[in-house]
Amino acid sequence: MDFLASFIHNIPGLKHVFAQENQQLCSSSRAGVECIAPLFQTVQETPWPIPTQVTGTIPKWVKGSLLRNGPGRFEFGNDKYNHWFDGMALMHKFTMENGSVTYMSKFLESDCYKTNKSQNRIVVSEFGTLAMPDPCKSLFKRFMSTFELPEPSDNGNINFVRYNGDYFVSTETHLMHKVDPEILETREKVDWTKFIAVNGATAHPHYDPDGTVYNMGNSYGKNGTHYNIIRVPAQDSGSEGTLHGAQVVCSIAAIETMKPSYYHSFGMTENYVVFVEQPIKINVWKIFTSKITGATISDSINWEPKYNTIFHVADKHTGELHPVTFHASPFATFHHINAYEEQGCIVLDLCCQDDGAALRILQLQNLRQSGQALDEVHNAVAKSFPRRFVLPLDIDSKTPQDVNVNPLSYTSATAVIRADGKVWCTHENLHDHILEELGGLDFPQINYSKYNARKYRYFYGCGFQHLVGDSLIKIDIETKELMVWQEEGFYPSEPVFVPSLDSNQEDDGVILSVVVTPRQNKQTFLLVLDAKTFTELGRAEVPVQMPYGFHGVFVSHGH
């Protein structure tokens, strides 16, 4: 890894002693990848802002708050969660003002959190943990409860999302919570089903410049399973509710009603929504019978590469589904990078894995391993790489078959019409061989406010030489060149791009990333990089431990 030497910045951290319980987590051999068990342990909230130690310089024009979300509590009483995604939501806030930074965090006061806490046991089932029947119930009532469907969790631990100026924390069920971004106070619970007939919504909506929000959610019923494209219109102040006016603009029938595809995000251009129906399949019947069989939602999701990947395109204004289906060899995707329209085509960039079994592997017992056992877990997870697909929309009966109909000369992605009318797509890699050495890339981010749904050049993400991000990467799509920030023993989170004031270039701005560490003598910190040069401007060290989290958003002061 000598080629990384010029990118690695070694700035000593302040001494930080973890709780005694964490000191024993990595006592086994450290051969291979480093033990990261302390990154998946329960921590205490920091409910009031505390100062940080700034080294370097935090630009004074960066005024606002980085809001982050992720799991922060992994047990109640003697009951322990099984999966990383199960942990109770812990909200984080870094406030930047005049070059100084404060930090605070609070647990989301969700119904499941409050109920679990009051009973000191796991009462509500999560993604990888099935709650046991209440031991105080009679034997008959406990038996009958096995025939009930699991209650959906309102543990919004994935992301902060925005609807009409309000901020919410969201998971992938139909429940989310409004949050006061100033003090991280949990406000009212919002139920999608009160506004629209869907059984859930993603934690990765898309935003139009006028404030319209698009999302996707499944529906199950007598007419089969459908993937629904949802539009939430921008509202005036004093409206009837945050999701008032939400409507399904297009319903896409699942290939198999009882085996719909799992999805975490979707693509959006100026005029279209692109949904990727991938071979990660949800066994609906297994979920319905979970209390009888003891299966969790995680147990009900499987990678089934006998199915190809299908791209569905819908007009986001009219809801009309494009008549052509676009197909590709089986791959898994969790995060889209960007999508835009050019010359009658949709250019779709996303992070892809050739194996979709990662969801099952990310059990807490696996993530807390060390030595050879951890190496085996790491090697079992498929690496994610950025790829580009091109979907030509101007196809009719006169379009020639068995030739590449992609008119875009700057990409090697192909689209070929077969005799059955299907368009078969092959991808272009948006990287060179160096990214393979860095373990691939995920948690992608762009200059969203100015380049979402537009032709762009740069994106940012985490490199994964470990099971969690261990580097930050910037990729130039045109040249395939990349820049890297990496520091031994530290694990950066999703990079968040903040554009500079009056910026006139795509990469004018800074990258914010929360960097955590399992090492007792190192310090967690907020990292600030110059987005153009990818060099460190400053860091704000935090005197408390933080787990590795998922997603976040920057909220500018005054907006």
Side-chain angles (χ1 to χ4, degrees), residues 142-157:
R142 277 190 284 169
F143 171 74
M144 292 304 297
S145 70
T146 62
F147 297 96
E148 300 171 355
L149 286 174
E151 290 293 324
S153 172
D154 63 342
N155 178 32
N157 66 1

Side-chain angles (χ1 to χ4, degrees), residues 178-224:
K178 185 177 178 180
V179 173
D180 183 338
E182 291 299 316
I183 57 175
L184 298 183
E185 183 178 77
T186 304
R187 298 290 175 83
E188 66 265 25
K189 182 170 69 174
V190 176
D191 185 342
W192 276 92
T193 65
K194 304 296 184 183
F195 299 88
I196 194 169
V198 293
N199 295 94
T202 82
H204 289 286
H206 276 294
Y207 308 94
D208 268 350
D210 67 355
T212 302
V213 185
Y214 289 85
N215 208 331
M216 290 198 63
N218 283 1
S219 61
Y220 306 93
K222 61 182 181 180
N223 294 322

Side-chain angles (χ1 to χ4, degrees), residues 11 13 40 59 78 149 152 161 179 210 287 301 366 370 378 412 423 478:
I11 299 178
F40 309 99
N78 294 323
L149 286 174
V161 297
V179 173
D210 67 355
I287 293 176
I301 299 178
N366 292 334
S370 61
H378 173 257
S412 60
V423 179
E478 292 185 7

